[in-house]
């Protein structure tokens, strides 16, 4: 755990008054055409205005910005910290820039708790661009901020509006030509059709009832994920229902991800049960089953004009699928099943992207082992999807390390296949929520609408920062799974409840939640 160097306070306090009087607004600062002292190595410790940088605080709190030891790359870093509440900006003004697209990259850490803490690019000719600093008290996280420079200048700005004792570290900035963004901003809406059939209602943020898909689309969602079960007991999430919902998805102008579970019920790291219709089939027959089922669903989608844009061959297949034949204890057989699915996808439409999906978002070693095994066994795939739930799968820094490594090691685009976060802890129905205790939460992210929103912004920033533009985007898991009687977790039990309604993107009053704002992420 990081503890700010409080010994600096004695040195910095006498400087505060003078600096507050002399600090200038950003546009009047020292100008250069490239970043100066981007790693804060020039001045040692205790410097409020490191070479090339300026500090500003309307409240005279510039001493809350200072250099100290413990850099990300070199020996020093920039820190914002004060024992009392503070607002401070550390900035550098660049001029003489060639107009075009630029990208600021920085390594950051934060103890959290601030009213706001972010990097910004402003005075660049267009709208100010910001990236919040994720809460990470130990591991450094790389974030990016893109901007279009249209007036030959830009101000790089590091901002804190903080409570007493809050801190951030920033280091190793670069400002180079480039762009960033997230092509995919999606959510899983597999529960929607059954919810509506059982009386589920969805409202926009002002309380007007509407189509959940239209509400998500207006918030910025451009992709929807639908799971497919072979012959589920309740008749939902099967071929017929998926075809019907796919029409609605495409009518909203969204793209479609089809998630094959190859089961009659939930398939995940703890369960990969064969569909009843395939029970007792030989391995050879199972390969044919996978091909025929995959081809049948996707070809029917294509025939109705709603061709799948992406397909997951299996869901969270950490241990393989179609146990026991397709277990990771027999990689050659698992490879055959996965390639059977891949071939079926491409036979329907060669342009459909095939993804392999693990629930190992913070597990670098486990993800490497799995995909190394897949590659060595000749498994075919186009992209990598990882589930990452911060309360189960390690730190945000672990997630970034794993995601970046997968993209680089296998040379494939990556996406966050599932994530979510609670906006409250109590249940709306009688079923216990999966996350319902404060001790289960991620440090720095409260179970509130603000905490849910911040979580989504910060995981989006990590996906956006994947090197070489290989971060495709995010699917929020089950945005529409609100508490509706009869739409519980167990397809065999109509009285089962929902343990997820506190992590939906619609509140207990059925209104769209503020966290939907992440769907409009650049």
């Amino acid at each position: 755990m990081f503890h700010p160097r409080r010994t600096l306070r004695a040195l910095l306090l006498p400087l505060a008054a003078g600096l507050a009087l002399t600090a200038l607004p950003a546009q009047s600062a020292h100008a250069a055409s490239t970043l100066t002292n981007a790693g804060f190595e020039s001045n040692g410790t205790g410097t409020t205005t490191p070479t090339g940088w300026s500090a500003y605080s309307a409240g005279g709190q510039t001493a809350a910005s200072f250099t100290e030891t413990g850099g990300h790359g070199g020996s020093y870093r920039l820190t914002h910290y004060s024992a009392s509440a503070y607002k401070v900006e550390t900035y550098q003004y660049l001029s003489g820039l060639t107009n075009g697209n630029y990208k600021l990259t920085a390594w950051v850490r934060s103890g959290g708790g601030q009213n706001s803490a972010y990097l910004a690019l402003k005075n660049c000719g267009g709208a100010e661009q910001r990236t919040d600093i994720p809460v990470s008290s130990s591991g450094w996280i790389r974030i990016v901020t893109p901007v279009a420079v249209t007036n030959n200048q830009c101000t790089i700005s590091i901002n804190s509006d903080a409570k007493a004792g809050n801190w951030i570290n920033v280091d190793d900035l670069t400002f180079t030509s480039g762009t960033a963004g997230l092509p995919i901003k999606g959510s899983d809406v597999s529960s929607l059709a059954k919810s509506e059939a059982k009386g589920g209602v969805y409202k926009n943020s002002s309380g007007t009832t509407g189509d959940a898909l239209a509400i998500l689309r207006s918030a910025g969602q451009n992709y929807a994920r639908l799971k497919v079960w072979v012959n589920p007991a309740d008749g939902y999430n099967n071929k017929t229902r998926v075809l019907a919902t796919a029409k609605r998805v495409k009518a909203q102008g969204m793209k479609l991800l089809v998630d094959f579970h190859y089961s009659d019920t939930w398939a995940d790291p703890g369960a990969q049960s064969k569909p009843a219709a395939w029970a007792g089939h030989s391995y050879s027959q199972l390969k044919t089953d996978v091909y025929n089922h995959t081809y049948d669903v996707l070809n029917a989608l294509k025939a109705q004009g709603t061709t799948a844009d992406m397909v997951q061959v299996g869901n969270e297949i950490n241990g393989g699928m179609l146990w026991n034949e397709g277990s990771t204890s027999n990689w050659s057989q698992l490879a055959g099943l996965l390639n059977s699915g891949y071939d079926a996808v491409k036979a329907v439409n060669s342009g459909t992207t095939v993804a392999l999906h693990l629930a190992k978002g913070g597990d670098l070693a486990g993800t490497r082992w799995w995909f190394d095994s897949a590659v060595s066994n000749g498994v075919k795939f186009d992209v990598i999807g990882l589930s990452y739930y911060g309360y189960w799968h390690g730190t945000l820094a672990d997630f970034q390390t794993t995601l970046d490594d997968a993209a680089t090691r296998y040379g494939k685009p990556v996406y966050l296949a599932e994530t979510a976060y609670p906006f409250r802890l109590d249940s709306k129905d009688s079923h216990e929520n999966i996350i319902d205790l404060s001790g289960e939460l991620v440090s720095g992210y409260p179970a509130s609408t603000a905490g849910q929103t911040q979580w989504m912004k910060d995981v989006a920033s990590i996906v956006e920062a994947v090197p070489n533009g290989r971060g495709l985007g995010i699917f929020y898991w089950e945005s529409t799974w609100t508490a509706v009687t009869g739409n519980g977790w167990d397809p065999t039990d109509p009285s089962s409840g929902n343990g997820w309604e506190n992590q939906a993107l619609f509140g207990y009053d059925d209104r769209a939640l503020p966290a939907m704002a992440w769907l409009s992420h650049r």
Side-chain angles (χ1 to χ4, degrees):
M1 182 66 70
F2 165 78
H3 297 288
R5 291 166 58 90
R6 289 172 179 81
T7 54
L8 286 171
R9 303 306 301 148
L11 169 66
L12 293 171
L13 282 171
L15 298 173
L19 287 169
L21 293 173
T22 59
L24 299 173
Q27 60 269 25
S28 302
H30 163 82
S33 58
T34 56
L35 264 178
T36 301
N37 193 20
F40 304 100
E41 295 298 306
S42 299
N43 307 97
T45 61
T47 305
T48 293
T49 55
T51 301
W53 296 89
S54 302
Y56 174 74
S57 172
Q61 300 155 311
T62 51
S65 170
F66 54 91
T67 55
E68 63 177 347
T69 56
H72 166 261
S75 299
Y76 304 99
R77 67 193 180 210
L78 180 76
T79 291
H80 285 181
Y81 166 80
S82 177
S84 54
Y86 63 95
K87 293 183 183 180
V88 71
E89 175 189 15
T90 310
Y91 62 92
Q92 186 168 152
Y93 168 59
L94 302 181
S95 64
L97 296 170
T98 301
N99 287 339
N101 293 317
Y102 289 83
K103 182 170 69 174
L104 177 71
T105 303
W107 288 91
V108 299
R109 300 194 301 191
S110 173
Q114 297 91 345
N115 299 315
S116 62
Y118 60 91
L119 303 187
L121 297 173
K122 58 186 186 178
N123 309 323
C124 310
E128 177 178 328
Q129 298 295 314
R130 293 185 179 182
T131 304
D132 290 340
I133 296 177
V135 180
S136 179
S137 58
S138 55
W140 290 89
I141 290 175
R142 188 185 61 260
I143 58 174
V144 298
T145 311
V147 75
V149 173
T150 58
N151 61 353
N152 305 111
Q153 63 184 19
C154 197
T155 298
I156 286 83
S157 175
I158 303 163
N159 286 266
S160 292
D161 177 355
K163 302 179 180 73
N166 294 164
W167 61 270
I168 62 169
N169 301 148
V170 180
D171 204 1
D172 295 339
L173 294 92
T174 62
F175 186 69
T176 58
S177 296
T179 59
L182 292 180
I184 294 173
K185 287 152 291 204
S187 75
D188 192 304
V189 292
S190 298
S191 62
L192 178 59
K194 188 174 181 181
S195 174
E196 292 170 333
K198 301 295 182 182
V201 172
Y202 299 88
K203 301 177 181 180
N204 65 18
S205 57
S206 59
T208 303
T209 299
D211 178 352
L213 290 176
I215 293 168
L216 288 163
R217 183 70 185 97
S218 66
Q221 179 167 316
N222 63 10
Y223 230 112
R225 180 180 189 247
L226 297 173
K227 71 171 174 273
V228 186
W229 288 338
V230 177
N231 187 24
D234 62 358
Y236 286 88
N237 301 297
N238 60 10
K239 174 185 169 183
T240 301
R241 302 285 188 179
V242 167
L243 286 168
T245 305
K247 283 185 177 179
R248 295 174 56 188
V249 167
K250 294 281 189 167
Q252 291 294 337
M254 296 184 203
K255 291 185 176 182
L256 174 65
L257 167 58
V258 178
D259 173 20
F260 285 94
H261 284 228
Y262 302 112
S263 182
D264 293 333
T265 187
W266 301 100
D268 56 41
Q272 295 283 340
S273 303
K274 286 194 284 281
W278 306 357
H281 284 191
S282 66
Y283 168 67
S284 178
Q285 182 61 45
L286 287 171
K287 284 198 293 183
T288 303
D289 292 334
V290 168
Y291 187 96
N292 289 346
H293 171 62
T294 306
Y295 186 95
D296 178 49
V297 173
L298 297 178
N299 197 49
L301 284 165
K302 180 181 177 181
Q304 71 171 14
T306 61
T307 301
D309 299 283
M310 192 189 309
V311 168
Q312 285 182 197
V313 176
N315 185 75
E316 295 190 332
I317 51 176
N318 298 7
M321 64 186 197
L322 294 168
W323 290 345
N324 289 314
E325 287 80 357
S327 163
T328 50
S329 62
N330 191 332
W331 257 104
S332 62
Q333 289 196 173
L334 174 56
L337 294 169
L338 293 172
N339 283 339
S340 197
Y342 178 97
D343 291 343
V345 175
K346 298 298 183 176
V348 173
N349 179 50
S350 61
T352 296
T353 301
V354 176
L356 296 180
H357 170 210
L358 303 185
K360 286 182 176 287
D363 181 359
L364 175 64
T367 299
R368 277 187 174 182
W369 173 83
W370 200 99
F371 278 99
D372 282 358
S373 301
V375 169
S376 66
N377 281 277
V379 176
K380 296 177 283 190
F381 61 100
D382 302 321
V383 302
I384 292 170
L386 297 177
S387 293
Y388 173 66
Y389 296 96
Y391 36 73
W392 291 330
H393 295 143
T395 66
L396 286 167
D398 292 335
F399 173 50
Q400 179 165 72
T401 299
T402 306
L403 197 66
D404 289 356
D405 184 76
T408 303
R409 189 175 181 89
Y410 308 106
K412 302 285 189 182
V414 294
Y415 68 100
L416 177 48
E418 295 182 18
T419 193
Y421 206 76
F423 60 90
R424 58 196 293 170
L425 292 174
D426 61 313
S427 297
K428 190 181 181 186
D429 63 11
S430 59
H431 191 78
E432 181 180 2
N433 288 335
I434 291 173
I435 301 297
D436 65 346
L437 299 173
S438 59
E440 296 171 317
L441 298 173
V442 180
S443 178
Y445 297 90
S448 63
T449 56
Q452 183 188 49
T453 302
Q454 195 62 48
W455 176 260
M456 291 311 301
K457 284 183 177 180
D458 292 346
V459 292
S461 293
I462 287 172
V463 179
E464 185 180 24
V466 172
N468 301 310
R470 288 197 177 115
L472 288 181
I474 301 178
F475 290 90
Y476 192 91
W477 195 69
E478 284 287 13
S479 59
T480 57
W481 200 10
T482 53
V484 175
T485 302
N487 191 26
W489 70 271
D490 186 352
T492 69
D493 180 7
S495 67
S496 64
N498 178 3
W500 204 257
E501 74 269 20
N502 68 324
Q503 299 194 65
L505 291 181
F506 292 87
Y508 287 7
D509 58 0
D510 300 321
R511 293 189 183 200
L513 289 167
M516 274 193 205
W518 78 268
L519 289 164
S520 59
H521 188 93
R522 53 182 175 257

